Amino acid sequence: MTRVGILGATGAVGRQMLECLEERHYAKEDIRLFASERSVGKTIPYGNDELVCEKIEDGCFDGLDFVLGAVSNALSKEYAPMIKKTGAVYIDNSSAFRLEEDVPLVVPEINGEDALHHKGIIANPNCSTIIAMMALAPIHALSPIQTIVASTYQAVSGAGIAGIATLSEEVEAVRSSKPVNPSVFPAQIAYNCIASIGSMNENGYTTEEMKMQNEGRRILHNDDLLVSCTCVRVPVFRSHSISLSVVTKDKLDLQDVRNAISGFAGDVLVEDHVPTPLETSNQDDVYVGRIRKDLIHENGISLWCCGDQIRKGAASNAVEIMDYMLRHA
Amino acid sequence: MTRVGILGATGAVGRQMLECLEERHYAKEDIRLFASERSVGKTIPYGNDELVCEKIEDGCFDGLDFVLGAVSNALSKEYAPMIKKTGAVYIDNSSAFRLEEDVPLVVPEINGEDALHHKGIIANPNCSTIIAMMALAPIHALSPIQTIVASTYQAVSGAGIAGIATLSEEVEAVRSSKPVNPSVFPAQIAYNCIASIGSMNENGYTTEEMKMQNEGRRILHNDDLLVSCTCVRVPVFRSHSISLSVVTKDKLDLQDVRNAISGFAGDVLVEDHVPTPLETSNQDDVYVGRIRKDLIHENGISLWCCGDQIRKGAASNAVEIMDYMLRHA
C-alpha cells in the first residue's frame, strides 16, 4: 500500500489533495493529515468517515511513501529536511524549491519523466504556469516555442480559502451598500480586476509573472524561452484563464495544432464555443479554444485556455505526479 | 448657442451623453432627445428639470448643429442621410461608418485635427480601442508603434443597460441558488470570463478584436500597424482594462515613456499602485500603470490601462469631439 501524508491539510489545496486521494480510493489508514498547531485535532471528512489533523513533530512523517505539501515557502523549507530524512518523497506545491537544479519541476503529462530523477523533493509548478504549459506543450512538441505573451485572468482561489471567502463577502457588502475593506487582495476584487499578484520585482514584473518564464523553461526543457506575462486577479472563484500569443521556430498549420492539442492527455480542444473558467471548475482537464493565427508573426499562434486552479493548477497535478511515479516505479 | 440632438437617448451611452451636456451647462432648450417609438414621450431628468424623448421623423433634426448618435449600425445608417441633409454634424458612436475613408475616426486628444475635415459624419471609435489608444498615443509620438498584443478585460456596460442588469441579476441568481439562463452574453458572466465579444470572423478573430487593428491604424495614422487582440468580457460594471505589449520602431527609455504618458491630456500615470477598472469608473481619464520593458523584444514595452467604457469609451469621447470642433470653429 502507498502511504501518503498531506502537509497543510486544512487549506484549499490540502483539502483538494485529500479529495483526489478519495477519488483514487486510498484507504483511510494509508492517509495522514498534518496541519498547523491551531488545527491539530480538527477532523476532516473522508468518504463516510473522517481523518484527524496531526501535529508536525519529530518522526511524524515516518512510514510514509509520499508527503504532498500545501504550505508556505517558509514552512516548506522548514519541513523538507524532516521529510527527506524519512525517505518519503516530498511533492511540494510551494515555490520554495521550484528553481533548484536537483529538484524536478513537473507537469506529468509534459515532463513526467523528470520526476523519476528526484533527490527526495519534487516541485509542483505555479498554477497559471501549469495551465498555460498544458495548453502549449502540444504546440512545443510540433515546433519549439520561442516566445510567449501571456495575460492571465486568475481566480480568487489562488489566495486560498481566504481569497474565496473575500470575493463572497465583498459581493455581499456591495449588495448591502456597506464599505468594502480590502484585506486579502490589494483592492476590492468584487466587480474589479487587479493586475498585481505576488510582489514586485525590480524589472517591473511581479514574482507571479516571472514564474511563467522561469518555470516554463524548466517544464518545456527550453532555456531560451522568453515570456512577457501580465498576471491579473479577476472575480472568478476557482478556475484560471490565460490569453496566450506564442511564436514557434517553424510555421505551423492550424489543423496540426488543433490535432496535437485534442490528442494531448489532459487537454480538451473546444471548438463549438469559447471555454470559460466557470465550465472548467471542479474538474482536471485544461480546456483550449480560440486557436488562431497571430496577426503579427508569420509563425505566431494565439489561443485561450482555462483550467481549475485548485485542481490541475495545484492539488491534482501534485497527486498526478505521485500517480506517475507509482506507474513507473 | 450650440444646439445638440441625442439619437438613442434612453440607452446607457445616450444617457451618459446627456450627462456630459449637463456637465457643460447646456441649456435645456438647446438639447433635443430622440428615441425609438416605444420611448417617445418618455421623460429623462436634466438637472432639476426634464427632457422629453421625441419621435424620429422627417425634419426632426432641423435646426440642430450636432447630432450625437448612440444607436445600432442599422439605425445609424438609416438616419445618417436625414441628419446630413439638415447640415448638422453627425457624431456617431456605432461602427457603421468607422472605416469609411471620408469619415474621420477621432479621439480628440490624439487626432482631433481629423475631425475638422469631416463631410457631415464623424465616427466615435470602439470603446476598448479608444482606451488602448489613449494609453499608447504618447508612446507612438516618441517612436512609431509597429505591433500591439492586446488582451482586454471588458465591462458588461459594453452591452448597454441590459449588460449591466444581467450581471446584477446573475449574481443575485447565484446567491439564491437559482439557475442562470444567459441571454445578453453567450454564457453566465457572473463569476466568469467570456473570451467572445462580437461575431467571429473567418480568421478566428472576433469583429471586436479586429477593431483594435482597423480603428487603431486610422487613429494613430499608421497603416502598417499590426495588432493581435483577444477581447474578453469580465464581471466588472463599467470600466474596461487592457493588458498591452507593444514594439516600437526605436528603443525607448522607460522614463521618457512615463513622462510622455503623464504629460498627455486625458491620461493619468499611476505609479504608486496598480490602476483598476473600479477606480476609473464614472470619470473621463484613462489610467496607465505597470509600465515596464517587455522581456521578449529589445524595443518592447508592456503596460496596463483602465478607463470608463461608457464615458471615455463612448459618450464623453463623442462630446469631446464636439468640444474640439467648437474650439476650432
Side-chain angles (χ1 to χ4, degrees):
Chain A
M1 285 299 104
T2 306
R3 305 203 64 218
V4 184
I6 297 175
L7 182 60
T10 58
V13 173
R15 279 172 183 267
Q16 184 62 61
M17 286 168 165
L18 184 61
E19 270 187 58
C20 290
L21 296 183
E22 195 180 334
E23 287 165 8
R24 285 159 175 79
H25 308 293
Y26 275 72
K28 180 193 162 183
E29 300 70 40
D30 295 326
I31 303 173
R32 288 174 58 207
L33 305 184
F34 303 97
S36 60
E37 295 261 7
R38 71 172 186 285
S39 295
V40 171
K42 195 173 173 178
T43 58
I44 295 186
Y46 189 73
N48 299 321
D49 211 330
E50 58 186 29
L51 287 159
V52 182
C53 290
E54 300 175 42
K55 195 176 168 185
I56 304 163
E57 57 192 348
D58 255 356
C60 73
F61 301 116
D62 288 353
L64 294 174
D65 300 300
F66 291 90
V67 175
L68 307 174
V71 294
S72 68
N73 287 2
L75 290 177
S76 188
K77 279 182 189 157
E78 185 179 338
Y79 300 133
M82 283 172 64
I83 299 168
K84 268 182 98 164
K85 221 166 51 186
T86 68
V89 177
Y90 181 37
I91 302 177
D92 176 26
N93 191 53
S94 87
S95 60
F97 302 103
R98 285 184 192 153
L99 301 184
E100 294 202 1
E101 213 175 321
D102 61 353
V103 174
L105 181 70
V106 177
V107 180
E109 296 89 337
I110 303 172
N111 64 329
E113 163 76 20
D114 290 356
L116 307 179
H117 308 290
H118 73 86
K119 290 177 178 167
I121 305 176
I122 299 169
N124 206 40
N126 165 262
C127 45
S128 294
T129 305
I130 292 177
I131 293 161
M133 295 308 140
M134 281 296 293
L136 297 182
I139 299 176
H140 188 64
L142 294 176
S143 172
I145 291 177
Q146 302 185 307
T147 64
I148 303 173
V149 179
S151 291
T152 72
Y153 301 68
Q154 294 185 225
V156 293
S157 60
I161 289 173
I164 295 171
T166 295
L167 175 54
S168 296
E169 286 159 15
E170 288 186 355
V171 165
E172 206 57 28
V174 170
R175 186 177 190 272
S176 49
S177 304
K178 285 187 187 142
V180 171
N181 301 307
S183 54
V184 172
F185 302 112
Q188 175 180 322
I189 186 62
Y191 310 110
N192 205 10
C193 297
I194 309 173
S196 170
I197 305 180
S199 53
M200 198 63 76
N201 291 323
E202 255 186 32
N203 67 355
Y205 289 79
T206 65
T207 48
E208 183 83 358
E209 288 164 353
M210 292 311 300
K211 288 172 185 173
M212 190 77 79
Q213 175 169 294
N214 296 335
E215 300 184 18
R217 287 178 176 180
R218 297 199 71 201
I219 296 165
L220 296 182
H221 294 181
N222 177 4
D223 289 344
D224 302 322
L225 180 68
L226 296 175
V227 183
S228 264
C229 182
T230 303
C231 285
V232 183
R233 188 78 66 194
V234 295
V236 164
F237 279 110
R238 57 175 288 159
S239 199
H240 286 356
S241 308
I242 308 153
S243 167
L244 293 162
S245 290
V246 305
V247 176
T248 52
K249 186 160 182 288
D250 312 291
K251 188 176 172 182
L252 294 176
D253 177 77
L254 276 189
Q255 197 50 51
D256 291 343
V257 169
R258 292 193 185 100
N259 292 345
I261 289 169
S262 73
F264 194 78
D267 279 348
V268 173
L269 175 71
V270 180
E271 296 196 282
D272 63 340
H273 68 282
V274 172
T276 67
L278 200 59
E279 73 174 326
T280 54
S281 295
N282 296 299
Q283 57 81 50
D284 284 333
D285 288 328
V286 171
Y287 285 29
V288 188
R290 301 291 320 270
I291 296 164
R292 59 208 195 275
K293 282 278 174 194
D294 184 281
L295 297 178
I296 296 172
H297 304 281
E298 180 80 355
N299 296 359
I301 289 164
S302 291
L303 56 84
W304 169 257
C305 61
C306 309
D308 186 296
Q309 182 271 329
I310 310 178
R311 293 198 64 121
K312 186 57 187 171
S316 301
N317 194 73
V319 174
E320 287 164 5
I321 291 173
M322 183 173 73
D323 292 345
Y324 185 97
M325 296 184 68
L326 292 170
R327 278 203 309 277
H328 294 82
Chain B
M1 284 299 105
T2 305
R3 306 203 65 217
V4 185
I6 298 176
L7 182 61
T10 57
V13 173
R15 280 172 182 268
Q16 184 61 61
M17 286 167 166
L18 184 61
E19 270 187 56
C20 290
L21 296 184
E22 195 179 335
E23 288 164 8
R24 285 158 176 77
H25 309 293
Y26 274 73
K28 180 194 162 185
E29 300 70 41
D30 294 327
I31 303 174
R32 288 174 57 208
L33 305 185
F34 303 96
S36 60
E37 294 262 6
R38 70 172 186 286
S39 295
V40 171
K42 195 173 173 178
T43 59
I44 296 186
Y46 188 74
N48 299 320
D49 210 332
E50 58 185 28
L51 287 159
V52 183
C53 290
E54 301 175 40
K55 195 175 168 186
I56 304 163
E57 57 192 348
D58 254 356
C60 73
F61 301 116
D62 288 353
L64 294 173
D65 299 301
F66 290 90
V67 174
L68 307 174
V71 294
S72 68
N73 287 2
L75 290 177
S76 188
K77 280 184 189 157
E78 186 179 339
Y79 300 133
M82 282 171 66
I83 299 168
K84 267 182 99 164
K85 221 166 49 184
T86 68
V89 177
Y90 180 39
I91 302 178
D92 176 26
N93 191 53
S94 87
S95 61
F97 303 104
R98 286 184 192 152
L99 301 184
E100 293 202 1
E101 214 175 318
D102 61 354
V103 175
L105 181 70
V106 178
V107 180
E109 296 89 339
I110 304 173
N111 64 329
E113 163 75 20
D114 290 357
L116 306 180
H117 308 290
H118 73 86
K119 292 181 177 166
I121 306 176
I122 298 170
N124 206 42
N126 165 262
C127 45
S128 294
T129 304
I130 292 177
I131 293 161
M133 295 308 139
M134 280 296 293
L136 297 182
I139 300 176
H140 188 64
L142 294 177
S143 173
I145 291 178
Q146 303 186 306
T147 64
I148 303 172
V149 180
S151 291
T152 72
Y153 300 67
Q154 294 185 226
V156 293
S157 61
I161 290 172
I164 296 170
T166 295
L167 176 54
S168 295
E169 287 160 13
E170 288 186 355
V171 165
E172 207 57 27
V174 169
R175 185 177 191 271
S176 49
S177 304
K178 284 188 188 144
V180 171
N181 301 308
S183 54
V184 173
F185 302 112
Q188 176 181 324
I189 187 61
Y191 309 110
N192 205 10
C193 297
I194 310 173
S196 169
I197 304 181
S199 54
M200 198 63 76
N201 291 324
E202 255 186 29
N203 67 355
Y205 289 79
T206 65
T207 48
E208 183 83 358
E209 288 163 354
M210 292 311 300
K211 289 172 185 172
M212 189 77 80
Q213 175 169 293
N214 296 335
E215 300 184 18
R217 287 179 176 180
R218 296 200 71 201
I219 296 165
L220 297 181
H221 294 183
N222 178 3
D223 290 344
D224 301 324
L225 179 68
L226 296 175
V227 183
S228 263
C229 183
T230 303
C231 285
V232 182
R233 187 78 67 194
V234 294
V236 164
F237 279 111
R238 56 175 287 159
S239 200
H240 285 356
S241 308
I242 308 155
S243 167
L244 292 163
S245 290
V246 305
V247 175
T248 51
K249 187 161 180 287
D250 312 291
K251 189 177 172 180
L252 294 177
D253 177 77
L254 276 189
Q255 196 50 50
D256 292 341
V257 170
R258 291 192 186 100
N259 293 345
I261 288 170
S262 73
F264 193 77
D267 279 349
V268 173
L269 176 70
V270 180
E271 296 197 282
D272 62 340
H273 68 281
V274 172
T276 66
L278 200 58
E279 73 174 326
T280 54
S281 295
N282 296 299
Q283 57 81 52
D284 283 334
D285 288 329
V286 171
Y287 285 29
V288 187
R290 298 294 319 273
I291 296 165
R292 59 208 196 275
K293 283 276 175 196
D294 184 281
L295 298 178
I296 297 172
H297 303 280
E298 180 79 357
N299 296 357
I301 289 164
S302 290
L303 57 83
W304 169 257
C305 62
C306 309
D308 187 295
Q309 183 271 328
I310 308 179
R311 292 198 66 119
K312 187 58 188 169
S316 302
N317 194 72
V319 174
E320 287 164 5
I321 292 173
M322 183 172 74
D323 292 345
Y324 184 97
M325 295 185 67
L326 292 171
R327 277 202 310 277
H328 294 81

